Structure formats: structure tokens, C-alpha cells
Amino acid sequence: GSLTAAEAEGDERTIEAALRPRTLEEVVGQVRVRDQLGLVLEAARQRGRAPDHVLLSGPPGLGKTTLAMIIAAEMTAPLRLTSGPAITHAGDLAAILSGLNQDDVLFIDEIHRMSRPAEEMLYLAMEDFRVDVIIGKGPGATAIPLEIPPFTLVGATTRAGLLPGPLRDRFGFTGHLEFYDPAELDLIIHRSADLLGVRLTDEGAAEIALRSRGTPRIANRLLRRVRDYAQVRADGVVTLAVAHATLDLYEVDRLGLDRLDRAVIDVLCRRFGGGPVGVSTLAVAVGEERETVEEVAEPFLVRLGFLARTPRGRIATPAAWEHLGLTAPKLPDS
Ligand code: ATP
């Protein structure tokens, strides 16, 4: 349905929440994950049991939180949200787990960033629905087992490989989210525009889709920016010209690369002669955290075929040089 006036006028975060698909059916793209997950949920419903634990992996903004909410909604179960960085002590996790009710869905975003002791507590909880609460310190400490009701854990991580094996193995299903292609983003943009009451032409939508970095969250954000532009500097309709002007204003390039993406290939080509260079060095050179370069910028650059990860470090491909308007150095004859 449509948004209420309050939602449409609401701040940006309210808007983002309001644009989330609410059922698996409404989810655009991610066909494989949707099918696989649909089966897991349907089978659990038929058996009248909580579904297996689910791990969702993929770059930010592709719909992990959205899918977690859908899992809970489809199971008509309450969703509890937390994140890895918020769980610094095993006690934090024990408190969350002991507060769960039967069949609750617990979503842990950035699950790879939980502390080690919390991780170990989670193993036991996932497998045996039990936690050992440690009372006291040192030699006198005792572990008191505490039963917790069966629940479904949904973990989200930017890369499944960041999780220790024992944790990864305890998920019954792992869904890998992929970047969206322009046709899928086009559908998402039209859907969001309808919900927000934004008037846009097909050419305008297609242009935003092309420049959204394969990411629905970015598509929705760009849509809000072009809508601003159309309202303030044009007649309210998002046309191709409006889309172009806005995206240029916000320095989103022809392929959707943002400032960080461009900085990474720029530094790689200009300063390091195309590589190979280690990711830590690259991160220092662009002034970002290594994790951000690795988990946010690189997946998209790899997908575009601009960057390759090799055992000796990152290298820029000829396509990356070309995108920057540079000439790739000649490879030595082999
Ligand atoms: P993070 O890992 O940073 O939490 P995420 O992968 O969980 O990101 P979401 O917050 O679920 O991403 O999605 C971002 C926005 O993109 C949502 O507000 C939603 O509107 C939109 N979105 C995501 N996936 C889809 C989809 N398949 N169809 C339509 N809209 C989508």
C-alpha cells in the first residue's frame, strides 16, 4: 500500500524503513536466496517449529536487515534486533538470550564483530538452546546451565568468510546476497517512487538504476536526492536531465562509483602503478579503515572487473585504468 502522509514527510530514516519490502513476495531480485529461504520457512511452518538458524552475507545495503524482518514476519514471530559490536561481553549476550521467548527471531547484525567469549556462548545456545552462566571468578567460579526456549538466529555479515568455522557451521542455511542488476534496481526505484509519490520518467529511473552501485539502499537514497533537485530546480518531475544533473552534483559517476571507490582505483593506479599492493597499504593511502575498503569498496570494484584480489595484493585491471582516463602500463612480454 501507499505511505501515510506522515511517513512520506518523515525523516530519511523513517522513509528507509517504510520502503522495505514486507514479504518474500515483495522482495525484488535475489531469486536464489528468496527461493531457498522460502523453502526453509515453509517447511518450518508446516512442521510448526522454529526454522533453522539463517546466516545472510553480502555487502552493505543489499537487504540483510530487510530479509531478517521478513523471516520474522513470515513466521509471525517477534523480531529482536542487536549487533555484534553491541555485544562486548558474554554477559550481554546471556541477557539477550535469557530474555527470548519461544520461536522468537533474534537478528544479530555484523555478527562477525562479536567478542570471542560471546561467540562461544552463542555456539551452545544455537545447538543446545542452553547457556552456561558463570558465577564468580577464578578457581571458585561455577557454571550454571540455563535453558533457553528454541529460537531462530538470523546473523548478518558482510562476508561469511569472516566468521570462525564453528560458528558458520551452526547455521542451517546461508544466503549469499548479490549486487542487483540495473533492471532489478529499476523495479525497486519505480516501486519506491510510487510509495513516495515521486513522479519520474522511465529514462530518469533507468539512469538512477545504472548509477546505484548495484545496491537498493543507494538507489533509494539517490531517488531522494533527485527528488529534491526536481522539486527545487525543476518542475517536480524526475527526468533524465534532472537525474544527470543531480548525480553529477553528488559526484556519482557514470558507473555509480562513489568517492571511495574512485579513490581506491585512483591510488592503486597512480600511486602504486596498478599494484599488486596490500589492502592495508591501500587503506592507509585512501585514509579509510581497512575493513571499509575490503567490505564496502572492493566487492563492487571486483564485480565491475576493475580490481582483482591476488595472493600478492590488489591489482588494477586495464578497465580500471581506462575508467580513470589513463593508459594502462604495458605488461612485460611473457
Ligand atoms: P546493512 O547490512 O547495512 O544492514 P542491509 O543489507 O541489511 O544493510 P537493508 O537495510 O535491508 O540492507 O536494505 C536497505 C534498503 O534497501 C531498505 O530500506 C529497502 O528499502 C531496500 N531494499 C533492500 N533489498 C530490497 C529488495 N530486494 N527489494 C526492494 N527493496 C529493497
Side-chain angles (χ1 to χ4, degrees):
S2 271
L3 300 188
T4 63
E7 279 170 327
E9 296 295 310
D11 68 50
E12 307 241 318
R13 303 205 33 198
T14 328
I15 293 178
E16 175 150 325
L19 294 179
R20 286 183 197 282
R22 311 224 176 249
T23 61
L24 271 187
E25 267 213 328
E26 270 181 34
V27 171
V28 175
Q30 305 299 347
V31 184
R32 182 168 311 133
V33 172
R34 224 175 47 193
D35 271 5
Q36 294 167 337
L37 192 57
L39 185 62
V40 170
L41 299 182
E42 181 56 33
R45 258 198 307 263
Q46 285 180 9
R47 290 194 294 262
R49 306 290 280 285
D52 237 339
H53 304 302
V54 174
L55 181 64
L56 299 171
S57 76
L62 299 191
K64 298 184 293 293
T65 306
T66 300
L67 280 176
M69 291 178 165
I70 290 175
I71 291 171
E74 301 248 330
M75 298 309 296
T76 55
L79 179 72
R80 305 281 300 269
L81 289 110
T82 184
S83 75
I87 302 173
T88 48
H89 303 286
D92 300 334
L93 184 65
I96 294 169
L97 292 172
S98 60
L100 292 176
N101 295 310
Q102 168 131 9
D103 298 342
D104 278 2
V105 175
L106 173 64
F107 178 56
I108 307 185
D109 202 2
E110 298 189 77
I111 192 168
H112 59 281
R113 295 180 59 195
M114 237 173 10
S115 74
R116 203 16 91 81
E119 223 168 69
E120 275 159 21
M121 174 177 280
L122 193 58
Y123 299 162
L124 201 59
M126 292 172 77
E127 212 157 71
D128 296 341
F129 299 109
R130 180 165 72 85
V131 293
D132 283 334
V133 181
I134 312 286
I135 308 284
K137 279 207 162 82
T142 34
I144 303 190
L146 182 72
E147 295 240 345
I148 45 181
F151 68 100
T152 298
L153 176 68
V154 180
T157 179
T158 44
R159 277 193 292 143
L162 293 171
L163 288 193
L167 182 53
R168 226 179 328 156
D169 293 345
R170 283 170 170 82
F171 287 96
F173 168 66
T174 299
H176 297 283
L177 301 193
E178 310 279 348
F179 285 111
Y180 294 68
D181 63 37
E184 292 164 345
L185 291 166
D186 199 64
L187 284 174
I188 293 173
I189 290 161
H190 276 294
R191 174 180 177 275
S192 299
D194 280 348
L195 288 169
L196 295 171
V198 175
R199 283 179 297 150
L200 91 174
T201 65
D202 286 346
E203 293 78 20
E207 187 62 20
I208 305 169
L210 273 178
R211 301 218 212 167
S212 294
R213 230 184 155 268
T215 308
R217 177 182 295 147
I218 295 178
N220 284 336
R221 190 197 303 148
L222 292 179
L223 177 64
R224 300 196 297 267
R225 295 293 72 81
V226 296
R227 169 219 218 184
D228 292 348
Y229 194 100
Q231 175 194 320
V232 176
R233 300 203 186 157
D235 62 359
V237 181
V238 175
T239 59
L240 179 61
V242 165
H244 266 156
T246 317
L247 296 165
D248 290 345
L249 178 65
Y250 287 100
E251 299 179 277
V252 176
D253 78 13
R254 192 165 52 77
L255 295 178
L257 271 63
D258 61 20
R259 192 202 57 80
L260 177 61
D261 299 326
R262 269 195 311 272
V264 169
I265 53 169
D266 198 80
V267 159
L268 189 51
C269 293
R270 283 185 223 265
R271 194 166 327 160
F272 298 105
V277 59
V279 63
S280 306
T281 309
L282 204 51
V284 171
V286 298
E288 265 298 345
E289 300 282 331
R290 174 196 163 131
E291 280 179 8
T292 310
V293 170
E294 217 169 5
E295 291 158 35
V296 180
E298 282 190 355
F300 187 63
L301 293 172
V302 169
R303 147 103 176 201
L304 281 181
F306 280 5
L307 179 141
R309 295 169 164 153
T310 75
R312 291 169 55 225
R314 274 47 175 175
I315 55 173
T317 64
W321 288 88
E322 197 181 312
H323 186 70
L324 294 174
L326 302 172
T327 318
K330 277 252 174 315
L331 292 176
D333 292 330
S334 49

